[in-house]
Amino acid sequence: MSRRFPFLVYAASLCANALAQPVSFEEEEKALSRIYGGEEMVSIASGYKQPISKAPSIATVITAADIKQIGATDIDEVLETVPGLHVERNTIGYNPIYTFRGIFSQFNQQVLMMINGIPITNAYTGSRSEVWGGMPVQDIARIEVVRGPGSAVYGADAFAGVINVITKTKQDIEGTEVGGRVGSFDTYDGWGLHGGEWAGFDVALALEYHKTAGQNSIVDADLQSQFDTLLGTNASLAPGPVNLSRDNLDARLDLSRGNWRFRGGLQHRSDWGNATGVAQALDPVNRFGSDRWNADLTYHSDEIDNWDLTTQLSYFETSQEIERNLTLFPAGTTLPIGANGQIGAGAPVTFPSGYIGNPEVWERHIRISQSFAYTGFQQHQLRSGIGFNYDSLFKARVSQNFGIDPATGTPIPSQPGIPLIDVSNTSSTFIPTVDRKVAYLFLQDQWNFANDWSLTAGARYDRYSDFGNTFNPRAALIWEARYDLTAKLMYGSAFRAPSFQEMYIINNPAQLGNPTLKPETMENIELGFDYRPLDNLHLGLNFFNFWWNDIIRFVPDANTTTSTAQNTGTQHGYGTEIEAEWQAIDTLKITGNYAYQESRDETLNFDAGYAPQHQVYLRLNWEFLPEWSFSPQAKWIVGRSRGFGDARAPIGDYTWVDLTLRRQNLLKHVDIAFSVRNLFDVDAREPSLAGIPQAAIPNDLPLASRVFFGEVSFKF
């Protein structure tokens, strides 16, 4: 508490100063217009638009203009600028792990990501997809981020944080834009945007293409290296480069007319390399593919006095497909194989083509919802809604050269040549087809019970077909102490639904599902301050304290090599976040933030590890000549401990610096930009997973070396 006490004293002094200096009504109205007139609005905090300072949560809004200043080419580079959020990396495909406030897990199921307010969560892993492949930024109008729980509004997985990506409409584009980018590691990007009218409809179209060979940082040793040491073999491909090739196509359509809006999209991923290997053994052979289709139809009306009605129907289909064999362990590997044909106690078997398993899944998600908002009461703003979600893993397919051959009942490795056997739709498959039905209702009231005071209170009830009920309340007390200072005291709870993988996976050499799992739960208390002492200066300060319970982990089974998913463990965390935005002069804007967190595994009485204890971010945007801007930024990542049982030294700190130089409106229609990532070519690494008896990748996950990009775009 001693480290946080000075901040509380400072916050209290701000409030006391506000009470001691009354202003006239006219002065206050003028100041409010000046200060909040240009303030960003946020909708995901409560379900309707309101200024960030008055929202019942700690929120960040990043606009398309901000994204340009950052020089970002992918959404991960944008999110890394949010206070208290660090983008770590999964060993599989270097998929992003959006670590909010020290809440880390391999598949990052504790973060809800939405596109235009609709979740894109896969039921199989509970994440955004194992074949994620990044998300381009040209068609993003704004990104809203809430730090802390949001299940009272959005239900499952709005746990550690919520990210809502809002794509561009006709009004955001107004005309046509085409552009291209080239960069290091044979990276090529191209895009086209169009906003206009057609047959009475407002139309927005976006097409974005990305292809890269991927960064080629070297992994020194992997899990196969350990098998080689134990068995005297030499099959490991380490030292060797990570496998991060990508071939992405993103397409979106937005049609609106009157009260109706239709949106559709495709995220196509192919030639997708899995980085350090699915089993943490280098695999240059494998390529994944995926298609993520989405469509939604929304009817919104505010034409009836005091009523705001929204009806929405959405469809989302996603896949995880194998384009080239998933080689869990490389050609020539020798592994101990048990009587079930899996890795375990048994005789060593050599696999000439590698230890191969090709799991594929296809999912569809259908959602229908109806929400109501009523403002007819003098002091209350009510919002309620009901909805139904249907999640279906409707097809699973797998071929492999291990396990039991369902046709013969004998282990596959006992057969000559160790062929690939298709075990789909048999007792030897890795997961059955399964579905989940969710019905929910929620209610929220914003009560302006006194001058400058409001209380937002609400709750949501969810009924799941596979694990039962969950109820999540929230409350936020907001005090507008004066026209430039707002204080918030907030409580929220959340839950994370078990994934299909955690509940139903079978015949896996490492992990097994558990259909009796309960959801993870979260309780969070926050105190926040929003202070705008000058027209050109915005300061934020907040404190948080959370309890993460019933954590789902894979616990080793007795006398076997497998682990089974269990609800076990509690994590407690607390910390502070400070942020500032200062328009120093008309041509110079300075943005920065600092985040501190402590997280402890209460069950093991040990630091939770992985996440940085300190993060510092600083960005300048300097318009040094008309239409010219220079934007350097730096991020310091400090103090990452190892988890329980991991005897390695702490993960090394690093300072990451980027530069972007941009010229706009060249010849009135052309923009050009040049960017450098990792300017000082630091050896930055993200933590690899702990292991028993040692980490599979002992020297962590190397990030890219210095990277250059150049781009040009045309508007007409």
Side-chain angles (χ1 to χ4, degrees):
M1 290 296 292
S2 61
R3 280 177 284 189
R4 293 179 287 167
F5 183 75
F7 293 111
L8 293 171
V9 172
Y10 172 67
S13 70
L14 290 179
C15 296
N17 184 58
L19 292 174
Q21 300 179 34
V23 296
S24 70
F25 176 79
E26 291 78 9
E27 289 174 328
E28 182 168 331
E29 285 297 302
K30 188 182 295 184
L32 280 170
S33 176
R34 189 169 62 243
I35 292 172
Y36 292 114
E39 182 183 350
E40 288 295 342
M41 307 291 282
V42 64
S43 60
I44 61 171
S46 57
Y48 53 85
K49 286 187 177 181
Q50 59 192 143
I52 285 180
S53 61
K54 301 178 183 180
S57 63
I58 303 300
T60 300
V61 173
I62 305 166
T63 65
D66 295 324
I67 293 172
K68 275 194 171 184
Q69 291 179 13
I70 293 165
T73 61
D74 184 85
I75 193 172
D76 293 351
E77 295 163 355
V78 181
L79 294 174
E80 186 67 29
T81 70
V82 175
L85 194 169
H86 178 48
V87 183
E88 303 190 42
R89 294 293 161 185
N90 194 330
T91 55
I92 302 173
Y94 269 28
N95 284 332
I97 301 175
Y98 301 134
T99 306
F100 283 82
R101 299 173 168 178
I103 298 175
F104 173 94
S105 68
Q106 181 184 4
F107 292 106
N108 202 208
Q109 303 103 322
Q110 293 77 18
V111 174
L112 176 64
M113 177 174 274
M114 303 184 292
I115 297 179
N116 297 314
I118 299 172
I120 57 170
T121 304
N122 286 41
Y124 174 56
T125 59
S127 65
R128 293 161 294 280
S129 174
E130 281 195 272
V131 192
W132 173 240
M135 183 174 181
V137 297
Q138 300 301 138
D139 189 40
I140 295 177
R142 56 199 277 117
I143 303 171
E144 300 179 345
V145 181
V146 165
R147 306 186 305 271
S151 287
V153 179
Y154 294 104
D157 312 326
F159 196 88
V162 183
I163 300 166
N164 186 29
V165 179
I166 300 170
T167 56
K168 290 180 178 177
T169 64
K170 174 246 182 185
Q171 289 73 22
D172 298 307
I173 301 171
E174 289 292 359
T176 301
E177 176 185 338
V178 294
R181 180 187 301 115
V182 296
S184 304
F185 310 121
D186 295 324
T187 300
Y188 304 95
D189 296 335
W191 64 87
L193 306 175
H194 176 73
E197 294 185 7
W198 172 77
F201 287 89
D202 285 350
V203 180
L205 294 166
L207 189 67
E208 301 177 81
Y209 178 72
H210 170 70
K211 185 176 180 62
T212 182
Q215 64 119 327
N216 54 6
S217 298
I218 300 298
V219 171
D220 302 317
D222 61 4
L223 185 55
Q224 181 61 49
S225 303
Q226 296 183 27
F227 283 120
D228 287 347
T229 300
L230 289 171
L231 299 172
T233 55
N234 189 30
S236 176
L237 300 175
V242 294
N243 175 7
L244 285 172
S245 64
R246 300 284 187 268
D247 195 337
N248 298 347
L249 177 66
D250 289 68
R252 298 199 181 276
L253 167 67
D254 185 301
L255 291 173
S256 64
R257 183 174 182 176
N259 297 331
W260 293 90
R261 181 179 296 276
F262 170 81
R263 289 172 297 207
L266 166 66
Q267 291 181 294
H268 172 75
R269 304 291 181 259
S270 64
D271 195 34
W272 189 91
N274 64 27
T276 59
V278 170
Q280 300 187 72
L282 291 179
D283 176 13
V285 175
N286 168 239
R287 293 294 187 273
F288 275 103
S290 174
D291 285 321
R292 299 193 288 271
W293 296 92
N294 72 278
D296 61 86
L297 181 64
T298 303
Y299 175 82
H300 173 251
S301 174
D302 56 5
E303 298 165 359
I304 303 174
D305 286 349
N306 302 317
W307 284 97
D308 189 295
L309 310 175
T310 301
T311 304
Q312 187 171 75
L313 173 66
S314 69
Y315 178 84
F316 177 54
E317 183 170 313
T318 180
S319 65
Q320 172 185 304
E321 303 174 52
I322 302 293
E323 295 180 343
R324 274 192 262 162
N325 281 339
L326 174 56
T327 310
L328 298 169
F329 295 98
T333 185
T334 299
L335 302 168
I337 300 297
N340 62 356
Q342 309 267 6
I343 297 174
V349 175
T350 299
F351 292 79
S353 300
Y355 189 79
I356 299 171
N358 294 325
E360 301 178 286
V361 294
W362 287 260
E363 299 181 23
R364 63 171 60 101
H365 303 260
I366 300 171
R367 296 179 171 91
I368 184 168
S369 65
Q370 176 69 66
S371 64
F372 313 84
Y374 182 70
T375 57
F377 298 120
Q378 185 174 2
Q379 295 178 309
H380 295 268
Q381 184 168 343
L382 298 174
R383 184 172 181 269
S384 64
I386 57 175
F388 177 80
N389 302 339
Y390 175 71
D391 304 332
S392 173
L393 194 162
F394 66 91
K395 183 167 71 170
R397 189 168 65 195
V398 60
S399 59
Q400 58 195 45
N401 62 359
F402 58 86
I404 298 295
D405 184 345
T408 64
T410 61
I412 294 173
S414 66
Q415 302 178 34
I418 315 182
L420 283 177
I421 304 294
D422 189 331
V423 299
S424 308
N425 303 312
T426 73
S427 59
S428 296
T429 191
F430 70 105
I431 195 170
T433 56
V434 63
D435 63 19
R436 169 181 284 167
K437 304 173 187 67
V438 186
Y440 65 87
L441 59 90
F442 65 87
L443 178 65
Q444 177 180 277
D445 178 24
Q446 180 177 309
W447 177 26
N448 302 308
F449 62 90
N451 190 32
D452 301 325
W453 288 87
S454 68
L455 174 65
T456 299
R460 173 166 162 153
Y461 172 84
D462 290 76
R463 170 70 180 176
Y464 278 71
S465 60
D466 49 359
F467 63 76
N469 310 327
T470 180
F471 178 77
N472 291 273
R474 71 180 301 199
L477 181 64
I478 300 175
W479 177 34
E480 296 176 56
R482 51 179 277 174
Y483 65 82
D484 58 1
L485 174 64
T486 303
K488 310 177 187 181
L489 179 63
M490 295 159 286
Y491 165 81
S493 67
F495 74 101
R496 197 273 282 186
S499 69
F500 286 170
Q501 181 185 57
E502 291 167 330
M503 296 185 76
Y504 304 117
I505 194 167
I506 54 178
N507 299 318
N508 186 283
Q511 297 177 335
L512 299 174
N514 178 1
T516 67
L517 287 175
K518 301 184 297 182
E520 296 180 342
T521 61
M522 163 78 76
E523 290 189 286
N524 185 78
I525 296 175
E526 294 184 80
L527 176 63
F529 300 91
D530 186 285
Y531 185 41
R532 299 167 189 259
L534 301 170
D535 298 352
N536 56 358
L537 178 62
H538 173 210
L539 303 173
L541 168 67
N542 63 282
F543 310 92
F544 62 86
N545 209 317
F546 70 80
W547 294 264
W548 177 10
N549 300 308
D550 293 321
I551 300 173
I552 298 174
R553 293 169 171 157
F554 284 90
V555 178
D557 301 314
N559 302 317
T560 181
T561 60
T562 61
S563 298
T564 298
Q566 305 285 354
N567 289 104
T568 177
T570 298
Q571 184 171 319
H572 172 233
Y574 62 86
T576 302
E577 295 157 352
I578 304 171
E579 51 190 313
E581 184 177 280
W582 181 32
Q583 188 75 47
I585 55 177
D586 289 344
T587 57
L588 178 63
K589 181 180 178 181
I590 303 172
T591 303
N593 58 68
Y594 165 74
Y596 160 78
Q597 67 85 23
E598 289 270 5
S599 293
R600 195 164 190 83
D601 189 314
E602 298 291 309
T603 306
L604 301 172
N605 192 29
F606 200 82
D607 191 292
Y610 294 101
Q613 187 177 46
H614 306 276
Q615 299 177 71
V616 182
Y617 174 75
L618 180 64
R619 180 175 84 247
L620 308 180
N621 188 62
W622 178 30
E623 298 178 16
F624 60 94
L625 288 172
E627 307 294 353
W628 283 92
S629 64
F630 178 61
S631 299
Q633 65 175 7
K635 182 118 186 186
W636 292 266
I637 302 299
V638 179
R640 293 173 294 172
S641 302
R642 299 294 184 181
F644 181 80
D646 193 335
R648 291 178 291 173
I651 304 115
D653 303 336
Y654 66 83
T655 301
W656 189 278
V657 177
D658 303 328
L659 300 177
T660 298
L661 177 67
R662 187 175 299 275
R663 171 64 160 94
Q664 293 182 279
N665 298 319
L666 182 66
L667 304 177
K668 296 184 179 181
H669 300 288
V670 181
D671 289 359
I672 58 174
F674 178 76
S675 296
V676 184
R677 299 273 183 276
N678 191 8
L679 175 66
F680 299 112
D681 201 21
V682 299
D683 181 14
R685 293 173 184 260
E686 292 300 328
S688 59
L689 298 171
I692 300 175
Q694 66 187 69
I697 300 175
N699 202 21
D700 295 308
L701 308 178
L703 301 184
S705 57
R706 186 186 295 116
V707 177
F708 298 94
F709 287 104
E711 71 175 54
V712 60
S713 62
F714 305 85
K715 295 179 181 178
F716 47 89

